[in-house]
Amino acid sequence: MKLTSRARFSTVCLHAGQEPDPSTGAIITPIYQTSTYVQEALGKHKGFEYARTQNPTRMALERNIAAIEGGKAGFAFASGMAAIGAIGTLLKSGDHVIVSDNTYGGTFRLFDKVLTRYQLSFSYIDTSKLDEVERAMTPATRMLFVETPTNPVMRITDLRAAADLAHRHDVRLVVDNTFASPYIQRPIEHGADLVTHSTTKYLNGHSDSVGGVVVAVRDDDIEWLTFVQNAEGAILSPFDSFLVLRGTKTLALRMQQHNANGLALAEFLSAHPKVGHVYYPGLPAHPQHELAKRQMRGFGGMIAFDLGSLEAARRLLGAVRLHALAESLGGVESLISHPATMTHASVPAERRAAIGITEGLVRISAGVEDIEDLKDDLTQALDAV
Ligand SMILES: Cc1ncc(COP(=O)(O)O)c(C=O)c1O
């Protein structure tokens, strides 16, 4: 199974990084559930010594995702947060980082409560406004950490312009691409130096694994991440690697349906009299709709909308039947959540208010169910509001 350099996205998703198993010809990469590898003689082995350092299932996944994102090397970790933690080790005390101001709450918590203990400093800036990013740059700035679209209010950062700005200041651009998925946007093509994912979301896609990945292009980053993945040891297990590898085979198919359902639900909610503002980059009313059309392939399955009050949100969340009330996103089944008390509870109230995460805000991760069933469910739930 040799991929040509012209292989298209869905073909890369299905095949990259995987060869039939050399010992049996099994078409699917086996789960190499082993802690160590027997050596033929002293210093003579097959490239595998100890499973924290090398595992064939994890290696296949890392090569697969590196190819999907258009990077040179991938590193799989035990969670999305472990992946972001590994990116943090590229910094040295005294360094400064600029971060999208409504970044995932867990990322804010890691930066604000853990990494600040190591003399690192962070500025939280609306990265959709690159003039503000430029003003926040200091001689100590080493990293620009961007999420686009942001969770949950869907602000878009122009990746090409962000990469140009970062590189003018000798700063790395890191993109958390979890929310969009590489089907929708490939930040490395726009100049990003590092891409990270919670594979827990769209890459695995089936809500049955927690994991993370970093994709790198720079040789110095690849060398350091290879070292640190082994040194810290927060690796993805062989079984989880197998699950995510199975997930990426259908990434293109799933994302087409997430895109279609996301857009249909956003349009449905916009037209509903009980719904206030709808945040979705695919709506012409979205302030960055034109940029989203240029930068993204479809607009994804994530939608947020305002019901005006905590009480209204509580009634809707209590009335849905098909949408499951749960944190997380990117699985084949539709989820609904309340950012202020769930995913963004660790963000201080005044920061939440500044970003637009009101008490009436509800977020949907549109799954791949029949769109009419999703609309029926929301129709009956909105009747209860
Ligand atoms: C955008 C984003 N990045 C990172 C993470 C962290 O990933 P994990 O939960 O796999 O640690 C999440 C989790 O929700 C996320 O939404």
Side-chain angles (χ1 to χ4, degrees):
M1 231 173 285
K2 288 276 171 281
L3 286 183
T4 69
S5 57
R6 288 177 55 240
R8 277 75 168 180
F9 185 81
S10 52
T11 311
V12 170
C13 287
L14 254 162
H15 294 296
Q18 298 150 88
E19 294 294 334
D21 184 51
S23 59
T24 63
I27 192 161
I28 295 300
T29 306
I31 304 168
Y32 282 91
Q33 192 69 32
T34 187
S35 61
T36 192
Y37 309 87
V38 177
Q39 308 194 4
E40 274 171 56
L42 204 57
K44 197 165 171 219
H45 56 74
K46 298 182 167 68
F48 297 91
E49 294 156 280
Y50 183 63
R52 169 164 31 79
T53 323
Q54 311 107 343
N55 179 281
T57 321
R58 194 178 82 226
M59 225 161 76
L61 174 68
E62 291 172 335
R63 289 177 176 169
N64 176 251
I65 296 182
I68 290 173
E69 279 289 5
K72 276 200 208 159
F75 302 88
F77 293 92
S79 68
M81 288 320 305
I84 296 172
I87 290 171
T89 67
L90 289 159
L91 299 162
K92 298 195 179 74
S93 63
D95 287 353
H96 171 248
V97 182
I98 298 174
V99 188
S100 294
D101 62 349
N102 57 346
T103 195
Y104 169 60
T107 304
F108 173 73
R109 180 174 51 204
L110 173 72
F111 290 171
D112 190 57
K113 299 281 186 293
V114 181
L115 298 190
T116 51
R117 292 161 61 101
Y118 301 95
Q119 281 81 48
L120 296 168
S121 62
F122 298 85
S123 297
Y124 298 91
I125 305 288
D126 179 354
T127 54
S128 69
K129 299 185 177 132
L130 289 173
D131 50 335
E132 291 185 15
V133 173
E134 184 140 38
R135 274 201 296 279
M137 292 271 184
T138 74
T141 308
R142 292 286 170 273
M143 197 177 272
L144 171 58
F145 188 100
V146 164
E147 258 180 63
T148 180
T150 53
N151 171 13
V153 296
M154 314 289 165
R155 281 193 208 134
I156 315 277
T157 295
D158 183 331
L159 289 173
R160 164 61 57 195
D164 290 346
L165 170 63
H167 295 159
R168 272 204 309 280
H169 290 263
D170 203 16
V171 161
R172 277 187 191 79
L173 175 64
V174 182
V175 179
D176 183 337
N177 204 23
T178 301
F179 226 59
S181 92
Y183 176 87
I184 289 180
Q185 71 195 9
R186 302 207 310 158
I188 289 168
E189 283 176 355
H190 299 288
D193 301 286
L194 291 158
V195 173
T196 186
H197 281 273
S198 166
T199 59
T200 316
K201 312 299 182 329
Y202 287 111
L203 289 180
N204 179 53
H206 292 77
S207 312
D208 52 10
S209 162
V210 170
V213 73
V214 181
V215 177
V217 283
R218 283 171 48 157
D219 290 340
D220 54 345
D221 288 350
I222 291 168
E223 195 180 325
W224 176 254
L225 288 166
T226 303
F227 175 80
V228 99
Q229 185 190 39
N230 182 52
E232 290 192 335
I235 48 162
L236 192 65
S237 76
F239 182 54
D240 286 286
S241 300
F242 166 85
L243 287 176
V244 182
L245 203 46
R246 190 173 59 167
T248 58
K249 288 185 193 301
T250 56
L251 181 66
L253 284 173
R254 285 185 286 109
M255 290 316 300
Q256 285 160 26
Q257 194 63 28
H258 286 300
N259 274 346
N261 283 357
L263 181 60
L265 282 190
E267 286 170 347
F268 164 82
L269 289 164
S270 300
H272 198 285
K274 289 191 179 165
V275 175
H277 192 76
V278 178
Y279 298 88
Y280 188 72
L283 295 176
H286 187 284
Q288 295 165 294
H289 181 57
E290 291 306 316
L291 169 60
K293 277 203 289 193
R294 267 202 320 276
Q295 183 166 285
M296 302 168 74
R297 175 154 64 137
F299 307 100
M302 301 303 300
I303 310 130
F305 56 101
D306 211 318
L307 287 175
S309 70
L310 178 60
E311 199 34 50
R314 196 190 301 281
R315 270 190 249 128
L316 179 89
L317 295 170
V320 285
R321 296 183 192 135
L322 185 56
H323 291 77
L325 174 60
E327 298 209 5
S328 202
L329 61 107
V332 284
E333 53 289 288
S334 292
L335 303 181
I336 194 162
S337 67
H338 185 244
T341 57
M342 295 169 74
T343 47
H344 287 65
S346 62
V347 178
E350 65 281 3
R351 272 180 47 76
R352 280 205 304 269
I355 294 163
I357 304 175
T358 60
E359 301 222 305
L361 195 74
V362 171
R363 187 188 82 178
I364 287 179
S365 169
V368 301
E369 297 93 341
D370 190 296
I371 185 60
E372 296 309 321
D373 291 324
L374 295 178
K375 285 200 241 172
D376 286 352
D377 189 38
L378 289 176
T379 301
Q380 65 81 26
L382 282 162
D383 285 346
V385 170

